[in-house]
């Protein structure tokens, strides 16, 4: 079994530009539309189990406060993906890659 990685909100900025990482926002579509991390793709928590992800990428997951991304990272790691969860989620992020659109 692969080890689950946790990253701090501060570390998230380094993955935004990393071509080997895929940043995934697990919040609802409406929340994503209002604000999100630059380059993130929106895959609401409820639909994660129905999706396939690139196996060669590190999946960097965040949700609102960190609980759902931690659970999802565990699930995806068990399925053989490389996944990590942002501790504290979107609410804890204060980096330069914040996008507001609403």
């Amino acid at each position: 079994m692969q080890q689950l990685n946790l990253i701090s909100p501060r570390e998230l900025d380094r993955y935004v530009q990393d071509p080997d990482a895929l940043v995934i926002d697990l919040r609802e579509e409406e929340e994503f539309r209002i604000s999100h991390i630059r380059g993130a793709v929106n895959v609401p928590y409820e639909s994660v189990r129905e999706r396939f992800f690139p196996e060669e990428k590190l999946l960097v997951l965040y949700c609102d406060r960190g609980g759902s991304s931690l659970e999802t990272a565990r699930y995806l790691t068990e399925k053989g993906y490389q996944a990590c969860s942002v501790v504290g989620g979107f609410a804890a992020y204060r980096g330069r890659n914040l996008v507001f659109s609403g």
Side-chain angles (χ1 to χ4, degrees):
M1 185 167 101
Q2 294 180 352
Q3 181 177 341
L4 178 65
N5 292 313
L6 300 174
I7 64 167
S8 72
R10 187 173 296 187
E11 290 176 279
L12 182 54
D13 282 331
R14 80 175 192 187
Y15 293 104
V16 169
Q17 300 298 323
D18 186 341
D20 294 325
L22 178 62
V23 179
I24 301 172
D25 185 323
L26 297 172
R27 299 173 307 144
E28 294 298 319
E29 188 177 329
E30 181 62 28
E31 294 172 293
F32 180 83
R33 238 190 329 266
I34 292 170
S35 61
H36 57 273
I37 306 301
R38 186 177 325 283
V41 295
N42 184 223
V43 180
Y45 172 75
E46 295 81 24
S47 64
V48 166
R49 293 174 189 250
E50 302 161 5
R51 298 284 299 265
F52 293 97
F53 301 99
E55 293 181 14
E56 70 280 1
K57 300 258 187 190
L58 170 64
L59 306 178
V60 180
L61 307 163
Y62 71 88
C63 60
D64 188 41
R65 303 219 176 261
S68 295
S69 62
L70 179 60
E71 180 183 324
T72 303
R74 282 187 182 131
Y75 168 78
L76 291 172
T77 299
E78 289 172 5
K79 294 295 180 191
Y81 291 102
Q82 295 179 67
C84 62
S85 174
V86 178
V87 175
F90 188 76
Y93 180 75
R94 301 288 181 269
R96 66 181 179 276
N97 287 295
L98 204 53
V99 175
F100 289 98
S101 43

